[in-house]
Amino acid sequence: MPERLDAFVARAAAAYYARGGAFGRAGDFTTAPEMTQVFGECLGLWAAVTWQAMGAPPRVVLAELGPGRGTLMADALRAAREAMPGFAAAAEVHLVETSPALRASQRARVPEAVWHARVEGVPDGPLILLANEFLDALPVRQIVRRGGLWRERFVEDGRFVELPTDLDPGAAPEDEVREIGEAREAVAALLARRVAARVGAALLLDYGPAETAPGDTLQAVRAHAPADPLAEPGSADLTAHVDFAALARAARAEGAAVFGPLPQGLFLARLGLHARSAALARAVPGRAATLMSAAHRLTAPEGMGRLFKALCLCHPALPAPPGFEDWFED
Ligand code: SAH
């Protein structure tokens, strides 16, 4: 039976993350928090300053979507405790994770957290939310233009089959592929409703273009090398570019203010990634080379500095969050 691409990706992702141990140099791929502790520390300070701008509520939900090994949140909390103890005391940590194996890793690093299987489970109230490389793991649908009509991609026996579809975004060149991230836009809309209803900010970091672009971006990575996305579901990390323009549209429709997308390199440089990395390198010379090369890779345009983006969904009355100060909404 042909399986629609988004269902295939959801099934493959669930199987893949259930195994748990895919992160880091020994695994399939490396994410920013696994490269340097300074990444999570910068986001912790971002969260602390954002909490102040919210009027320093005595209780705030500090949530993360898809926390992986829990490294980002552990680094963020450590930096926040040091720089702004009032924020650390007000923060109630909530993690959204489906994989039991990854929940166990997260519990080892952030024992005080409360876990949820779905974003909807995060409690109401003042909210600061972080998500790094979460949305790229959520499924996409793909449609392709054939003979002047749209067909939708399904997967059968490890290859694509094209079937009739209910989606019709209008005319396009023959053979053009479009990706539709309904699950991603639904998360953006839900977060936008949450931050607009109470007070809050959601910071989404991921990879993809600032403007909606056609093309098939589905990719599988196994042991740091490209793999066939349709073969052996669950054996490789399966992701696709995040359409930031689509997320921004979905969030604005729910009444949130939207800042960005900014290139990750610019955003992290503004949060002080380089200065903090250099200070830590001076204090711990044995780790200097690793710290400086991670900072470079995260910010360099040819590394993760340009393709990765930062997008922030905010309550409309909040000032521009750290890093987005020169952003004007059009
Ligand atoms: N943020 C981490 C991990 C990124 S990998 C880092 O930067 O290192 C994606 C994460 O999202 C994993 O923790 C995975 O288990 C989780 N995840 C993927 N799909 C999910 C879903 N539908 N619901 C909840 N968590 C999900």
Side-chain angles (χ1 to χ4, degrees):
M1 267 289 278
E3 187 175 20
R4 208 170 75 184
L5 180 61
D6 54 338
F8 173 86
V9 171
R11 189 166 60 83
Y16 178 75
Y17 289 113
R19 291 179 17 235
F23 301 83
R25 268 180 287 280
D28 291 317
F29 63 107
T30 306
T31 56
E34 302 302 329
M35 288 162 55
T36 171
Q37 70 184 69
V38 181
F39 179 79
E41 290 171 355
C42 285
L43 298 190
L45 300 177
W46 181 92
V49 173
T50 301
W51 171 75
Q52 271 189 324
M54 286 163 55
R59 186 186 149 262
V60 64
V61 172
L62 175 60
E64 187 184 351
L65 309 182
R69 289 164 21 106
T71 311
L72 191 169
M73 185 56 86
D75 292 338
L77 287 170
R78 190 181 57 252
R81 271 188 209 110
E82 216 171 275
M84 218 184 277
F87 166 61
E92 225 179 68
V93 181
H94 291 265
L95 303 179
V96 175
E97 178 60 67
T98 37
S99 158
L102 287 173
R103 279 189 184 196
S105 304
Q106 293 156 18
R107 190 169 291 116
R109 291 176 182 79
V110 192
E112 71 270 41
V114 178
W115 279 265
H116 308 276
R118 299 172 55 83
V119 187
E120 288 83 346
V122 174
D124 273 330
L127 172 69
I128 296 179
L129 180 137
L130 306 171
N132 184 61
E133 292 210 50
F134 171 75
L135 293 170
D136 67 8
L138 297 189
V140 288
R141 295 170 70 173
Q142 283 184 351
I143 53 173
V144 53
R145 192 78 173 167
R146 301 285 191 212
L149 291 172
W150 288 106
R151 311 270 291 170
E152 181 152 10
R153 283 180 157 176
F154 285 63
V155 181
E156 188 172 35
D157 299 329
R159 49 182 199 82
F160 282 129
V161 292
E162 298 170 3
L163 298 176
T165 181
D166 54 327
L167 298 168
D168 184 11
E174 187 68 4
D175 299 327
E176 181 162 297
V177 175
R178 300 266 183 96
E179 290 179 335
I180 297 111
E182 289 168 338
R184 299 152 173 213
E185 288 159 37
V187 169
L190 182 130
L191 296 179
R193 271 198 299 283
R194 287 287 183 97
V195 298
R198 298 291 293 267
V199 64
L203 179 63
L204 309 174
L205 293 143
D206 229 306
Y207 83 114
E211 302 294 338
T212 305
D216 173 359
T217 72
L218 190 67
Q219 65 163 33
V221 174
R222 186 185 306 126
H224 301 276
D228 177 355
L230 304 187
E232 302 173 66
S235 69
D237 184 48
L238 208 50
T239 60
H241 281 190
V242 170
D243 180 348
F244 282 95
L247 298 183
R249 269 194 302 277
R252 283 200 186 96
E254 298 294 338
V258 178
F259 294 90
L262 276 188
Q264 167 170 283
L266 180 61
F267 178 69
L268 292 177
R270 287 177 173 175
L271 296 190
L273 180 88
H274 295 290
R276 214 177 155 83
S277 302
L280 191 56
R282 277 193 298 278
V284 195
R287 288 175 48 208
T290 312
L291 285 163
M292 298 319 282
S293 80
H296 178 76
R297 184 163 159 212
L298 287 176
T299 54
E302 73 280 11
M304 296 162 78
R306 185 182 293 157
L307 180 57
F308 280 70
K309 308 278 189 313
L311 185 78
C312 189
L313 319 180
C314 282
H315 187 279
L318 283 182
F324 297 97
E325 289 88 353
D326 65 348
W327 187 269
F328 296 100
E329 281 219 73
D330 35 46

